[in-house]
PDB file of all heavy atoms in Angstrom:
ATOM      1  N   GLU M 157       5.800  16.421 -14.714  1.00  0.00           N
ATOM      2  CA  GLU M 157       7.145  16.610 -14.133  1.00  0.00           C
ATOM      3  C   GLU M 157       7.159  17.741 -13.115  1.00  0.00           C
ATOM      4  O   GLU M 157       7.790  17.641 -12.063  1.00  0.00           O
ATOM      5  CB  GLU M 157       8.153  16.915 -15.237  1.00  0.00           C
ATOM      6  CG  GLU M 157       8.761  15.660 -15.791  1.00  0.00           C
ATOM      7  CD  GLU M 157       9.715  15.940 -16.934  1.00  0.00           C
ATOM      8  OE1 GLU M 157      10.490  16.902 -16.844  1.00  0.00           O
ATOM      9  OE2 GLU M 157       9.655  15.184 -17.915  1.00  0.00           O
ATOM     10  N   ALA M 158       6.445  18.809 -13.422  1.00  0.00           N
ATOM     11  CA  ALA M 158       6.379  19.944 -12.490  1.00  0.00           C
ATOM     12  C   ALA M 158       5.729  19.513 -11.178  1.00  0.00           C
ATOM     13  O   ALA M 158       6.186  19.900 -10.090  1.00  0.00           O
ATOM     14  CB  ALA M 158       5.593  21.092 -13.123  1.00  0.00           C
ATOM     15  N   VAL M 159       4.699  18.686 -11.276  1.00  0.00           N
ATOM     16  CA  VAL M 159       4.005  18.228 -10.067  1.00  0.00           C
ATOM     17  C   VAL M 159       4.918  17.324  -9.227  1.00  0.00           C
ATOM     18  O   VAL M 159       4.953  17.418  -7.997  1.00  0.00           O
ATOM     19  CB  VAL M 159       2.680  17.504 -10.433  1.00  0.00           C
ATOM     20  CG1 VAL M 159       2.064  16.861  -9.208  1.00  0.00           C
ATOM     21  CG2 VAL M 159       1.695  18.473 -11.057  1.00  0.00           C
ATOM     22  N   VAL M 160       5.685  16.476  -9.901  1.00  0.00           N
ATOM     23  CA  VAL M 160       6.617  15.597  -9.179  1.00  0.00           C
ATOM     24  C   VAL M 160       7.623  16.451  -8.394  1.00  0.00           C
ATOM     25  O   VAL M 160       7.924  16.176  -7.224  1.00  0.00           O
ATOM     26  CB  VAL M 160       7.339  14.637 -10.159  1.00  0.00           C
ATOM     27  CG1 VAL M 160       8.542  13.970  -9.501  1.00  0.00           C
ATOM     28  CG2 VAL M 160       6.360  13.588 -10.661  1.00  0.00           C
ATOM     29  N   ASN M 161       8.128  17.502  -9.037  1.00  0.00           N
ATOM     30  CA  ASN M 161       9.084  18.379  -8.350  1.00  0.00           C
ATOM     31  C   ASN M 161       8.437  19.114  -7.190  1.00  0.00           C
ATOM     32  O   ASN M 161       9.021  19.245  -6.112  1.00  0.00           O
ATOM     33  CB  ASN M 161       9.685  19.383  -9.330  1.00  0.00           C
ATOM     34  CG  ASN M 161      10.636  18.688 -10.275  1.00  0.00           C
ATOM     35  OD1 ASN M 161      11.235  17.668  -9.926  1.00  0.00           O
ATOM     36  ND2 ASN M 161      10.745  19.201 -11.487  1.00  0.00           N
ATOM     37  N   GLU M 162       7.205  19.546  -7.404  1.00  0.00           N
ATOM     38  CA  GLU M 162       6.513  20.255  -6.332  1.00  0.00           C
ATOM     39  C   GLU M 162       6.267  19.318  -5.135  1.00  0.00           C
ATOM     40  O   GLU M 162       6.420  19.710  -3.980  1.00  0.00           O
ATOM     41  CB  GLU M 162       5.187  20.823  -6.841  1.00  0.00           C
ATOM     42  CG  GLU M 162       4.409  21.439  -5.698  1.00  0.00           C
ATOM     43  CD  GLU M 162       3.302  22.381  -6.125  1.00  0.00           C
ATOM     44  OE1 GLU M 162       3.114  22.573  -7.335  1.00  0.00           O
ATOM     45  OE2 GLU M 162       2.649  22.922  -5.217  1.00  0.00           O
ATOM     46  N   ALA M 163       5.918  18.067  -5.438  1.00  0.00           N
ATOM     47  CA  ALA M 163       5.653  17.103  -4.364  1.00  0.00           C
ATOM     48  C   ALA M 163       6.900  16.873  -3.520  1.00  0.00           C
ATOM     49  O   ALA M 163       6.839  16.777  -2.287  1.00  0.00           O
ATOM     50  CB  ALA M 163       5.174  15.780  -4.959  1.00  0.00           C
ATOM     51  N   LYS M 164       8.044  16.814  -4.187  1.00  0.00           N
ATOM     52  CA  LYS M 164       9.312  16.600  -3.502  1.00  0.00           C
ATOM     53  C   LYS M 164       9.571  17.725  -2.484  1.00  0.00           C
ATOM     54  O   LYS M 164       9.935  17.488  -1.339  1.00  0.00           O
ATOM     55  CB  LYS M 164      10.412  16.605  -4.566  1.00  0.00           C
ATOM     56  CG  LYS M 164      11.621  15.806  -4.229  1.00  0.00           C
ATOM     57  CD  LYS M 164      12.453  15.720  -5.486  1.00  0.00           C
ATOM     58  CE  LYS M 164      13.829  15.221  -5.224  1.00  0.00           C
ATOM     59  NZ  LYS M 164      14.579  15.141  -6.476  1.00  0.00           N
ATOM     60  N   GLU M 165       9.321  18.951  -2.937  1.00  0.00           N
ATOM     61  CA  GLU M 165       9.518  20.140  -2.096  1.00  0.00           C
ATOM     62  C   GLU M 165       8.532  20.185  -0.946  1.00  0.00           C
ATOM     63  O   GLU M 165       8.902  20.423   0.203  1.00  0.00           O
ATOM     64  CB  GLU M 165       9.255  21.402  -2.944  1.00  0.00           C
ATOM     65  CG  GLU M 165      10.271  21.680  -3.995  1.00  0.00           C
ATOM     66  CD  GLU M 165      11.349  22.602  -3.467  1.00  0.00           C
ATOM     67  OE1 GLU M 165      10.979  23.687  -3.005  1.00  0.00           O
ATOM     68  OE2 GLU M 165      12.528  22.214  -3.513  1.00  0.00           O
ATOM     69  N   LEU M 166       7.276  19.963  -1.294  1.00  0.00           N
ATOM     70  CA  LEU M 166       6.198  20.196  -0.330  1.00  0.00           C
ATOM     71  C   LEU M 166       6.053  19.048   0.673  1.00  0.00           C
ATOM     72  O   LEU M 166       5.864  19.276   1.868  1.00  0.00           O
ATOM     73  CB  LEU M 166       4.877  20.393  -1.088  1.00  0.00           C
ATOM     74  CG  LEU M 166       3.694  20.824  -0.217  1.00  0.00           C
ATOM     75  CD1 LEU M 166       3.820  22.295   0.142  1.00  0.00           C
ATOM     76  CD2 LEU M 166       2.365  20.589  -0.953  1.00  0.00           C
ATOM     77  N   LEU M 167       6.142  17.812   0.174  1.00  0.00           N
ATOM     78  CA  LEU M 167       5.833  16.672   1.043  1.00  0.00           C
ATOM     79  C   LEU M 167       7.077  16.106   1.725  1.00  0.00           C
ATOM     80  O   LEU M 167       6.987  15.459   2.757  1.00  0.00           O
ATOM     81  CB  LEU M 167       5.125  15.575   0.237  1.00  0.00           C
ATOM     82  CG  LEU M 167       3.877  16.030  -0.529  1.00  0.00           C
ATOM     83  CD1 LEU M 167       3.316  14.900  -1.391  1.00  0.00           C
ATOM     84  CD2 LEU M 167       2.790  16.531   0.430  1.00  0.00           C
ATOM     85  N   LYS M 168       8.220  16.336   1.121  1.00  0.00           N
ATOM     86  CA  LYS M 168       9.501  15.862   1.674  1.00  0.00           C
ATOM     87  C   LYS M 168       9.491  14.351   1.945  1.00  0.00           C
ATOM     88  O   LYS M 168       9.975  13.874   2.964  1.00  0.00           O
ATOM     89  CB  LYS M 168       9.872  16.646   2.939  1.00  0.00           C
ATOM     90  CG  LYS M 168       9.938  18.137   2.673  1.00  0.00           C
ATOM     91  CD  LYS M 168      10.862  18.880   3.612  1.00  0.00           C
ATOM     92  CE  LYS M 168      11.219  20.269   3.154  1.00  0.00           C
ATOM     93  NZ  LYS M 168      10.205  21.041   2.456  1.00  0.00           N
ATOM     94  N   ILE M 169       8.890  13.629   1.009  1.00  0.00           N
ATOM     95  CA  ILE M 169       8.899  12.163   1.065  1.00  0.00           C
ATOM     96  C   ILE M 169       9.441  11.701  -0.286  1.00  0.00           C
ATOM     97  O   ILE M 169       8.980  12.173  -1.332  1.00  0.00           O
ATOM     98  CB  ILE M 169       7.474  11.597   1.276  1.00  0.00           C
ATOM     99  CG1 ILE M 169       6.895  12.093   2.619  1.00  0.00           C
ATOM    100  CG2 ILE M 169       7.467  10.071   1.237  1.00  0.00           C
ATOM    101  CD1 ILE M 169       5.444  11.700   2.842  1.00  0.00           C
ATOM    102  N   ASP M 170      10.425  10.791  -0.266  1.00  0.00           N
ATOM    103  CA  ASP M 170      10.990  10.306  -1.530  1.00  0.00           C
ATOM    104  C   ASP M 170       9.945   9.516  -2.310  1.00  0.00           C
ATOM    105  O   ASP M 170       9.040   8.927  -1.719  1.00  0.00           O
ATOM    106  CB  ASP M 170      12.180   9.371  -1.267  1.00  0.00           C
ATOM    107  CG  ASP M 170      13.376  10.152  -0.742  1.00  0.00           C
ATOM    108  OD1 ASP M 170      13.395  11.384  -0.915  1.00  0.00           O
ATOM    109  OD2 ASP M 170      14.269   9.522  -0.146  1.00  0.00           O
ATOM    110  N   ALA M 171      10.142   9.468  -3.617  1.00  0.00           N
ATOM    111  CA  ALA M 171       9.225   8.677  -4.447  1.00  0.00           C
ATOM    112  C   ALA M 171       9.941   7.427  -4.946  1.00  0.00           C
ATOM    113  O   ALA M 171      11.159   7.436  -5.133  1.00  0.00           O
ATOM    114  CB  ALA M 171       8.756   9.512  -5.628  1.00  0.00           C
ATOM    115  N   LEU M 172       9.186   6.362  -5.165  1.00  0.00           N
ATOM    116  CA  LEU M 172       9.758   5.171  -5.798  1.00  0.00           C
ATOM    117  C   LEU M 172      10.093   5.541  -7.250  1.00  0.00           C
ATOM    118  O   LEU M 172       9.365   6.316  -7.872  1.00  0.00           O
ATOM    119  CB  LEU M 172       8.748   4.027  -5.778  1.00  0.00           C
ATOM    120  CG  LEU M 172       8.463   3.412  -4.408  1.00  0.00           C
ATOM    121  CD1 LEU M 172       7.308   2.420  -4.498  1.00  0.00           C
ATOM    122  CD2 LEU M 172       9.706   2.715  -3.844  1.00  0.00           C
ATOM    123  N   PRO M 173      11.188   5.000  -7.776  1.00  0.00           N
ATOM    124  CA  PRO M 173      11.581   5.391  -9.135  1.00  0.00           C
ATOM    125  C   PRO M 173      10.599   4.946 -10.223  1.00  0.00           C
ATOM    126  O   PRO M 173      10.486   5.599 -11.248  1.00  0.00           O
ATOM    127  CB  PRO M 173      12.952   4.731  -9.331  1.00  0.00           C
ATOM    128  CG  PRO M 173      13.078   3.729  -8.246  1.00  0.00           C
ATOM    129  CD  PRO M 173      12.178   4.125  -7.129  1.00  0.00           C
ATOM    130  N   VAL M 174       9.905   3.840  -9.996  1.00  0.00           N
ATOM    131  CA  VAL M 174       8.977   3.359 -11.026  1.00  0.00           C
ATOM    132  C   VAL M 174       7.631   4.085 -10.894  1.00  0.00           C
ATOM    133  O   VAL M 174       7.054   4.130  -9.816  1.00  0.00           O
ATOM    134  CB  VAL M 174       8.744   1.834 -10.883  1.00  0.00           C
ATOM    135  CG1 VAL M 174       7.758   1.330 -11.922  1.00  0.00           C
ATOM    136  CG2 VAL M 174      10.066   1.085 -10.989  1.00  0.00           C
ATOM    137  N   LYS M 175       7.161   4.638 -12.004  1.00  0.00           N
ATOM    138  CA  LYS M 175       5.864   5.322 -12.004  1.00  0.00           C
ATOM    139  C   LYS M 175       4.873   4.478 -12.805  1.00  0.00           C
ATOM    140  O   LYS M 175       5.199   4.027 -13.906  1.00  0.00           O
ATOM    141  CB  LYS M 175       5.990   6.704 -12.642  1.00  0.00           C
ATOM    142  CG  LYS M 175       7.021   7.606 -11.970  1.00  0.00           C
ATOM    143  CD  LYS M 175       7.077   8.948 -12.684  1.00  0.00           C
ATOM    144  CE  LYS M 175       8.056   9.908 -12.067  1.00  0.00           C
ATOM    145  NZ  LYS M 175       9.456   9.659 -12.492  1.00  0.00           N
ATOM    146  N   LEU M 176       3.683   4.281 -12.253  1.00  0.00           N
ATOM    147  CA  LEU M 176       2.693   3.473 -12.972  1.00  0.00           C
ATOM    148  C   LEU M 176       1.899   4.330 -13.940  1.00  0.00           C
ATOM    149  O   LEU M 176       1.461   5.427 -13.594  1.00  0.00           O
ATOM    150  CB  LEU M 176       1.731   2.800 -11.985  1.00  0.00           C
ATOM    151  CG  LEU M 176       2.356   1.923 -10.900  1.00  0.00           C
ATOM    152  CD1 LEU M 176       1.268   1.209 -10.109  1.00  0.00           C
ATOM    153  CD2 LEU M 176       3.312   0.892 -11.501  1.00  0.00           C
ATOM    154  N   GLY M 177       1.727   3.813 -15.148  1.00  0.00           N
ATOM    155  CA  GLY M 177       0.987   4.561 -16.162  1.00  0.00           C
ATOM    156  C   GLY M 177      -0.517   4.479 -15.947  1.00  0.00           C
ATOM    157  O   GLY M 177      -1.009   3.692 -15.132  1.00  0.00           O
TER     158      GLY M 177
END
Side-chain angles (χ1 to χ4, degrees):
E157 271 177 42
V159 172
V160 166
N161 288 332
E162 174 163 0
K164 208 169 167 179
E165 290 268 304
L166 187 76
L167 306 175
K168 303 206 165 35
I169 299 174
D170 289 342
L172 290 172
V174 179
K175 303 180 179 81
L176 304 186

